[in-house]
């Protein structure tokens, strides 16, 4: 059981980041925020796969003007991502966003930071501040003699000073780099110094395959050390993959439950059925299920019964046929082409028994 670092709770309406709250999964829309219908459509799709908090880019006043409607119709609390123009931050607060992601260093000087921070505080809007290794101000790198981790820490600590001196303490912090080792070091160092809740992410991680691996490694190391209160897996492409990847990382560490865990063997020379197809079929079968079931799909009886015994439902291949188990009990023996439909039938029975619904 991972023991989580104690952080101060930050409130976003009913949602809480940090404190005793579960690690929250978030994502960011990649639609044009000025297109309200497309943005709301994407937010709804993300909510359906388990996203709990959504960030939208607010690049100009036209986008800011659409925020009110987005906030009103969104099934998820909305975070406005603002850079360079403090007026956009004020407009977002006015529109009712739950949180602002700002860089206090680039919105026009201490007086404007104060104006934004006071408005956020008065309206119960949380703030996220953070450093990104790719956009650090030159002066921090010069001061740290090129040490990116130290430069990121100095940058974020300056931002925190600006915001806390203006009187706000509902702050979430991020320290993102596209380099996994840098990310781990900077979060570890920050976590040892401060109790602000942390938004974890590997920035610009890339396409789905590489990005998921990088995020799994970087976030996994930190989460296993109890560091991290909300996560975003940044992936190029459909943001729904960010959410499903985030849950797989959290499920692997027993930090959150959502949807089934599918255990499948890699196959070897003992396997005498087309297991890959069956596993793909099972994944397809369960991809939208919200229930925390443990499913095992094994190529043969060497490890099959062992894994299947732990599973709510298991399948172990034989020669052109296979067995379906429920924990230790063998339910059925089926020919290869009947295995997947039989597995699906047994799965529906379990869902019906446990959750009273034939499907989701
Ligand atoms: S379960 Fe059987 S087929 Fe799968 S890897 Fe293990 S020994 Fe090989």
């Amino acid at each position: 059981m991972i023991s989580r670092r104690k952080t101060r709770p930050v409130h976003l309406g009913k949602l809480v980041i940090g404190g005793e709250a579960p690690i929250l999964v978030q994502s960011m829309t990649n639609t044009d925020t000025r297109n309200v219908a497309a943005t709301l459509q994407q937010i709804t799709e993300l909510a359906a796969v388990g996203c709990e908090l959504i960030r939208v880019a607010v690049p100009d006043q036209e986008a800011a003007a659409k925020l009110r409607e987005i906030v009103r119709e969104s099934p998820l609390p909305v975070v406005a991502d603002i850079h360079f123009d403090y007026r956009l931050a004020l407009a977002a607060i006015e529109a009712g966003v739950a949180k602002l992601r700002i860089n206090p260093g680039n919105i026009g000087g201490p007086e404007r930071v104060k104006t934004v921070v006071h408005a956020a505080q008065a309206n119960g809007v949380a703030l996220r501040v953070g450093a990104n290794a790719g956009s650090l101000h030159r002066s921090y790198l010069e001061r740290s003699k090129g040490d990116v981790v130290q430069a990121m820490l100095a940058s974020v600590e300056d931002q925190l000073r600006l915001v806390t001196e203006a009187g706000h303490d509902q702050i979430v912090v991020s320290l993102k780099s596209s380099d996994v080792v840098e990310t781990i070091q900077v979060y570890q160092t920050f976590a040892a110094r401060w109790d602000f809740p942390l938004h974890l992410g590997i920035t610009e991680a890339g396409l789905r395959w590489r990005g998921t691996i990088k995020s799994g490694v970087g976030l996994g190391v930190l989460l296993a050390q109890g560091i991290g209160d909300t996560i975003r897996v940044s992936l190029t492409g459909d943001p729904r993959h960010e959410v499903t990847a985030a849950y797989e990382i959290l499920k692997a560490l027993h930090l959150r439950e959502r949807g089934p865990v599918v255990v499948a063997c890699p196959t070897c020379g003992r396997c005498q059925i087309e297991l890959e197809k069956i596993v793909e079929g099972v994944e397809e079968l369960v991809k939208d299920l919200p229930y925390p079931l443990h499913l095992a799909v094994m190529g043969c009886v060497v490890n099959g019964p062992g894994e299947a015994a732990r599973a709510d439902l298991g399948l172990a291949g034989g020669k052109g046929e296979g067995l379906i188990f429920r924990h230790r009990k063998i339910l059925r023996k089926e020919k290869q082409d009947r295995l997947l439909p039989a597995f699906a039938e047994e799965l529906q029975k379990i869902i019906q028994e446990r959750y009273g619904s034939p499907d989701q």
Side-chain angles (χ1 to χ4, degrees), residues 264-273 275 297-305 307 315-317:
C265 89
T267 76
C268 69
R270 291 186 194 87
C271 184
Q272 297 186 66
I273 56 168
L275 196 77
V297 188
M298 310 301 292
C300 79
V301 291
V302 171
N303 291 326
E307 270 301 340
L315 182 157

PDB file of all heavy atoms in Angstrom, residues 264-273 275 297-305 307 315-317, ligand 1:
ATOM      1  N   ALA A 264      -3.017 -10.715 -19.276  1.00  0.00           N
ATOM      2  CA  ALA A 264      -2.907 -11.642 -20.421  1.00  0.00           C
ATOM      3  C   ALA A 264      -1.470 -12.124 -20.522  1.00  0.00           C
ATOM      4  O   ALA A 264      -0.538 -11.347 -20.323  1.00  0.00           O
ATOM      5  CB  ALA A 264      -3.317 -10.926 -21.709  1.00  0.00           C
ATOM      6  N   CYS A 265      -1.288 -13.384 -20.800  1.00  0.00           N
ATOM      7  CA  CYS A 265       0.069 -13.912 -20.885  1.00  0.00           C
ATOM      8  C   CYS A 265       0.684 -13.525 -22.236  1.00  0.00           C
ATOM      9  O   CYS A 265      -0.024 -13.249 -23.197  1.00  0.00           O
ATOM     10  CB  CYS A 265       0.095 -15.421 -20.664  1.00  0.00           C
ATOM     11  SG  CYS A 265      -0.110 -16.401 -22.163  1.00  0.00           S
ATOM     12  N   PRO A 266       2.014 -13.486 -22.305  1.00  0.00           N
ATOM     13  CA  PRO A 266       2.652 -13.065 -23.554  1.00  0.00           C
ATOM     14  C   PRO A 266       2.641 -14.163 -24.622  1.00  0.00           C
ATOM     15  O   PRO A 266       3.023 -13.917 -25.770  1.00  0.00           O
ATOM     16  CB  PRO A 266       4.089 -12.763 -23.120  1.00  0.00           C
ATOM     17  CG  PRO A 266       4.299 -13.630 -21.929  1.00  0.00           C
ATOM     18  CD  PRO A 266       2.983 -13.721 -21.238  1.00  0.00           C
ATOM     19  N   THR A 267       2.213 -15.351 -24.254  1.00  0.00           N
ATOM     20  CA  THR A 267       2.261 -16.604 -25.039  1.00  0.00           C
ATOM     21  C   THR A 267       3.701 -17.090 -25.202  1.00  0.00           C
ATOM     22  O   THR A 267       4.659 -16.313 -25.099  1.00  0.00           O
ATOM     23  CB  THR A 267       1.600 -16.528 -26.451  1.00  0.00           C
ATOM     24  OG1 THR A 267       2.465 -15.833 -27.324  1.00  0.00           O
ATOM     25  CG2 THR A 267       0.219 -15.910 -26.393  1.00  0.00           C
ATOM     26  N   CYS A 268       3.818 -18.367 -25.427  1.00  0.00           N
ATOM     27  CA  CYS A 268       5.123 -18.967 -25.699  1.00  0.00           C
ATOM     28  C   CYS A 268       4.871 -20.247 -26.498  1.00  0.00           C
ATOM     29  O   CYS A 268       3.748 -20.472 -26.964  1.00  0.00           O
ATOM     30  CB  CYS A 268       5.873 -19.276 -24.393  1.00  0.00           C
ATOM     31  SG  CYS A 268       5.123 -20.616 -23.446  1.00  0.00           S
ATOM     32  N   GLY A 269       5.886 -21.091 -26.603  1.00  0.00           N
ATOM     33  CA  GLY A 269       5.757 -22.299 -27.417  1.00  0.00           C
ATOM     34  C   GLY A 269       4.697 -23.273 -26.923  1.00  0.00           C
ATOM     35  O   GLY A 269       4.346 -24.216 -27.625  1.00  0.00           O
ATOM     36  N   ARG A 270       4.190 -23.055 -25.716  1.00  0.00           N
ATOM     37  CA  ARG A 270       3.161 -23.969 -25.200  1.00  0.00           C
ATOM     38  C   ARG A 270       1.756 -23.591 -25.654  1.00  0.00           C
ATOM     39  O   ARG A 270       0.834 -24.378 -25.524  1.00  0.00           O
ATOM     40  CB  ARG A 270       3.174 -23.984 -23.672  1.00  0.00           C
ATOM     41  CG  ARG A 270       4.395 -24.631 -23.083  1.00  0.00           C
ATOM     42  CD  ARG A 270       4.277 -24.739 -21.570  1.00  0.00           C
ATOM     43  NE  ARG A 270       5.580 -25.045 -21.021  1.00  0.00           N
ATOM     44  CZ  ARG A 270       6.476 -24.126 -20.707  1.00  0.00           C
ATOM     45  NH1 ARG A 270       6.199 -22.852 -20.873  1.00  0.00           N
ATOM     46  NH2 ARG A 270       7.649 -24.484 -20.244  1.00  0.00           N
ATOM     47  N   CYS A 271       1.631 -22.366 -26.134  1.00  0.00           N
ATOM     48  CA  CYS A 271       0.298 -21.868 -26.465  1.00  0.00           C
ATOM     49  C   CYS A 271      -0.200 -22.516 -27.762  1.00  0.00           C
ATOM     50  O   CYS A 271       0.485 -22.481 -28.783  1.00  0.00           O
ATOM     51  CB  CYS A 271       0.351 -20.360 -26.621  1.00  0.00           C
ATOM     52  SG  CYS A 271      -1.256 -19.646 -26.916  1.00  0.00           S
ATOM     53  N   GLN A 272      -1.381 -23.084 -27.733  1.00  0.00           N
ATOM     54  CA  GLN A 272      -1.906 -23.752 -28.928  1.00  0.00           C
ATOM     55  C   GLN A 272      -3.257 -23.185 -29.363  1.00  0.00           C
ATOM     56  O   GLN A 272      -4.049 -23.858 -29.997  1.00  0.00           O
ATOM     57  CB  GLN A 272      -2.020 -25.260 -28.667  1.00  0.00           C
ATOM     58  CG  GLN A 272      -0.655 -25.880 -28.400  1.00  0.00           C
ATOM     59  CD  GLN A 272      -0.735 -27.376 -28.274  1.00  0.00           C
ATOM     60  OE1 GLN A 272      -1.050 -28.080 -29.240  1.00  0.00           O
ATOM     61  NE2 GLN A 272      -0.493 -27.880 -27.081  1.00  0.00           N
ATOM     62  N   ILE A 273      -3.516 -21.966 -28.953  1.00  0.00           N
ATOM     63  CA  ILE A 273      -4.695 -21.265 -29.482  1.00  0.00           C
ATOM     64  C   ILE A 273      -4.262 -19.871 -29.940  1.00  0.00           C
ATOM     65  O   ILE A 273      -3.163 -19.416 -29.586  1.00  0.00           O
ATOM     66  CB  ILE A 273      -5.848 -21.127 -28.444  1.00  0.00           C
ATOM     67  CG1 ILE A 273      -5.347 -20.434 -27.174  1.00  0.00           C
ATOM     68  CG2 ILE A 273      -6.492 -22.449 -28.148  1.00  0.00           C
ATOM     69  CD1 ILE A 273      -6.465 -20.021 -26.254  1.00  0.00           C
ATOM     70  N   LEU A 275      -4.198 -16.767 -29.139  1.00  0.00           N
ATOM     71  CA  LEU A 275      -4.513 -15.999 -27.937  1.00  0.00           C
ATOM     72  C   LEU A 275      -4.615 -14.500 -28.192  1.00  0.00           C
ATOM     73  O   LEU A 275      -5.455 -13.816 -27.608  1.00  0.00           O
ATOM     74  CB  LEU A 275      -3.457 -16.267 -26.855  1.00  0.00           C
ATOM     75  CG  LEU A 275      -3.946 -15.821 -25.474  1.00  0.00           C
ATOM     76  CD1 LEU A 275      -4.920 -16.816 -24.888  1.00  0.00           C
ATOM     77  CD2 LEU A 275      -2.807 -15.594 -24.516  1.00  0.00           C
ATOM     78  N   VAL A 297      -6.492 -13.794 -19.150  1.00  0.00           N
ATOM     79  CA  VAL A 297      -6.564 -14.563 -20.403  1.00  0.00           C
ATOM     80  C   VAL A 297      -5.193 -15.197 -20.614  1.00  0.00           C
ATOM     81  O   VAL A 297      -4.211 -14.507 -20.887  1.00  0.00           O
ATOM     82  CB  VAL A 297      -6.927 -13.645 -21.591  1.00  0.00           C
ATOM     83  CG1 VAL A 297      -7.193 -14.471 -22.828  1.00  0.00           C
ATOM     84  CG2 VAL A 297      -8.149 -12.782 -21.266  1.00  0.00           C
ATOM     85  N   MET A 298      -5.128 -16.520 -20.468  1.00  0.00           N
ATOM     86  CA  MET A 298      -3.838 -17.209 -20.439  1.00  0.00           C
ATOM     87  C   MET A 298      -3.754 -18.236 -21.569  1.00  0.00           C
ATOM     88  O   MET A 298      -4.748 -18.857 -21.942  1.00  0.00           O
ATOM     89  CB  MET A 298      -3.672 -17.929 -19.090  1.00  0.00           C
ATOM     90  CG  MET A 298      -3.944 -17.064 -17.883  1.00  0.00           C
ATOM     91  SD  MET A 298      -2.879 -15.611 -17.795  1.00  0.00           S
ATOM     92  CE  MET A 298      -1.315 -16.387 -17.478  1.00  0.00           C
ATOM     93  N   GLY A 299      -2.529 -18.429 -22.075  1.00  0.00           N
ATOM     94  CA  GLY A 299      -2.334 -19.283 -23.235  1.00  0.00           C
ATOM     95  C   GLY A 299      -2.419 -20.765 -22.953  1.00  0.00           C
ATOM     96  O   GLY A 299      -2.715 -21.565 -23.842  1.00  0.00           O
ATOM     97  N   CYS A 300      -2.122 -21.155 -21.720  1.00  0.00           N
ATOM     98  CA  CYS A 300      -2.131 -22.591 -21.439  1.00  0.00           C
ATOM     99  C   CYS A 300      -2.385 -22.819 -19.963  1.00  0.00           C
ATOM    100  O   CYS A 300      -2.569 -21.879 -19.202  1.00  0.00           O
ATOM    101  CB  CYS A 300      -0.815 -23.237 -21.863  1.00  0.00           C
ATOM    102  SG  CYS A 300       0.512 -22.949 -20.675  1.00  0.00           S
ATOM    103  N   VAL A 301      -2.346 -24.077 -19.577  1.00  0.00           N
ATOM    104  CA  VAL A 301      -2.687 -24.396 -18.189  1.00  0.00           C
ATOM    105  C   VAL A 301      -1.492 -24.311 -17.229  1.00  0.00           C
ATOM    106  O   VAL A 301      -1.652 -24.513 -16.037  1.00  0.00           O
ATOM    107  CB  VAL A 301      -3.331 -25.803 -18.074  1.00  0.00           C
ATOM    108  CG1 VAL A 301      -4.713 -25.807 -18.707  1.00  0.00           C
ATOM    109  CG2 VAL A 301      -2.428 -26.846 -18.698  1.00  0.00           C
ATOM    110  N   VAL A 302      -0.286 -23.952 -17.756  1.00  0.00           N
ATOM    111  CA  VAL A 302       0.870 -23.863 -16.847  1.00  0.00           C
ATOM    112  C   VAL A 302       0.636 -22.766 -15.813  1.00  0.00           C
ATOM    113  O   VAL A 302       0.658 -22.993 -14.614  1.00  0.00           O
ATOM    114  CB  VAL A 302       2.181 -23.604 -17.632  1.00  0.00           C
ATOM    115  CG1 VAL A 302       3.321 -23.291 -16.674  1.00  0.00           C
ATOM    116  CG2 VAL A 302       2.535 -24.828 -18.463  1.00  0.00           C
ATOM    117  N   ASN A 303       0.413 -21.534 -16.309  1.00  0.00           N
ATOM    118  CA  ASN A 303       0.104 -20.437 -15.390  1.00  0.00           C
ATOM    119  C   ASN A 303      -1.384 -20.132 -15.382  1.00  0.00           C
ATOM    120  O   ASN A 303      -1.842 -19.345 -14.581  1.00  0.00           O
ATOM    121  CB  ASN A 303       0.854 -19.163 -15.784  1.00  0.00           C
ATOM    122  CG  ASN A 303       2.337 -19.313 -15.549  1.00  0.00           C
ATOM    123  OD1 ASN A 303       2.757 -19.984 -14.615  1.00  0.00           O
ATOM    124  ND2 ASN A 303       3.129 -18.717 -16.409  1.00  0.00           N
ATOM    125  N   GLY A 304      -2.084 -20.726 -16.326  1.00  0.00           N
ATOM    126  CA  GLY A 304      -3.499 -20.411 -16.492  1.00  0.00           C
ATOM    127  C   GLY A 304      -4.319 -20.548 -15.226  1.00  0.00           C
ATOM    128  O   GLY A 304      -4.876 -19.566 -14.741  1.00  0.00           O
ATOM    129  N   PRO A 305      -4.403 -21.735 -14.634  1.00  0.00           N
ATOM    130  CA  PRO A 305      -5.267 -21.877 -13.464  1.00  0.00           C
ATOM    131  C   PRO A 305      -4.832 -20.985 -12.307  1.00  0.00           C
ATOM    132  O   PRO A 305      -5.664 -20.466 -11.581  1.00  0.00           O
ATOM    133  CB  PRO A 305      -5.118 -23.359 -13.100  1.00  0.00           C
ATOM    134  CG  PRO A 305      -4.681 -24.011 -14.363  1.00  0.00           C
ATOM    135  CD  PRO A 305      -3.826 -23.002 -15.057  1.00  0.00           C
ATOM    136  N   GLU A 307      -3.398 -17.964 -12.400  1.00  0.00           N
ATOM    137  CA  GLU A 307      -3.901 -16.610 -12.643  1.00  0.00           C
ATOM    138  C   GLU A 307      -5.420 -16.588 -12.586  1.00  0.00           C
ATOM    139  O   GLU A 307      -6.018 -15.670 -12.041  1.00  0.00           O
ATOM    140  CB  GLU A 307      -3.446 -16.094 -14.018  1.00  0.00           C
ATOM    141  CG  GLU A 307      -2.128 -15.365 -14.027  1.00  0.00           C
ATOM    142  CD  GLU A 307      -2.083 -14.121 -13.133  1.00  0.00           C
ATOM    143  OE1 GLU A 307      -3.144 -13.567 -12.769  1.00  0.00           O
ATOM    144  OE2 GLU A 307      -0.964 -13.723 -12.788  1.00  0.00           O
ATOM    145  N   LEU A 315      -9.577 -17.316 -18.471  1.00  0.00           N
ATOM    146  CA  LEU A 315      -9.618 -18.211 -19.623  1.00  0.00           C
ATOM    147  C   LEU A 315      -8.226 -18.811 -19.765  1.00  0.00           C
ATOM    148  O   LEU A 315      -7.229 -18.084 -19.685  1.00  0.00           O
ATOM    149  CB  LEU A 315      -9.997 -17.360 -20.828  1.00  0.00           C
ATOM    150  CG  LEU A 315     -10.179 -17.968 -22.205  1.00  0.00           C
ATOM    151  CD1 LEU A 315     -11.068 -17.055 -23.041  1.00  0.00           C
ATOM    152  CD2 LEU A 315      -8.866 -18.204 -22.915  1.00  0.00           C
ATOM    153  N   ALA A 316      -8.147 -20.111 -19.932  1.00  0.00           N
ATOM    154  CA  ALA A 316      -6.849 -20.745 -20.151  1.00  0.00           C
ATOM    155  C   ALA A 316      -6.938 -21.637 -21.383  1.00  0.00           C
ATOM    156  O   ALA A 316      -7.831 -22.488 -21.478  1.00  0.00           O
ATOM    157  CB  ALA A 316      -6.448 -21.570 -18.924  1.00  0.00           C
ATOM    158  N   GLY A 317      -6.037 -21.416 -22.324  1.00  0.00           N
ATOM    159  CA  GLY A 317      -6.074 -22.151 -23.582  1.00  0.00           C
ATOM    160  C   GLY A 317      -5.583 -23.581 -23.439  1.00  0.00           C
ATOM    161  O   GLY A 317      -4.738 -23.889 -22.599  1.00  0.00           O
TER     162      GLY A 317
HETATM  163  S1  LIG B   1       0.563 -19.129 -19.680  1.00  0.00           S
HETATM  164 FE1  LIG B   1       1.296 -20.848 -20.861  1.00  0.00          FE
HETATM  165  S2  LIG B   1       1.312 -20.093 -22.976  1.00  0.00           S
HETATM  166 FE2  LIG B   1       1.195 -18.297 -21.663  1.00  0.00          FE
HETATM  167  S3  LIG B   1       3.349 -17.723 -21.426  1.00  0.00           S
HETATM  168 FE3  LIG B   1       2.788 -18.978 -19.670  1.00  0.00          FE
HETATM  169  S4  LIG B   1       3.454 -21.032 -20.258  1.00  0.00           S
HETATM  170 FE4  LIG B   1       3.383 -19.817 -22.148  1.00  0.00          FE
END
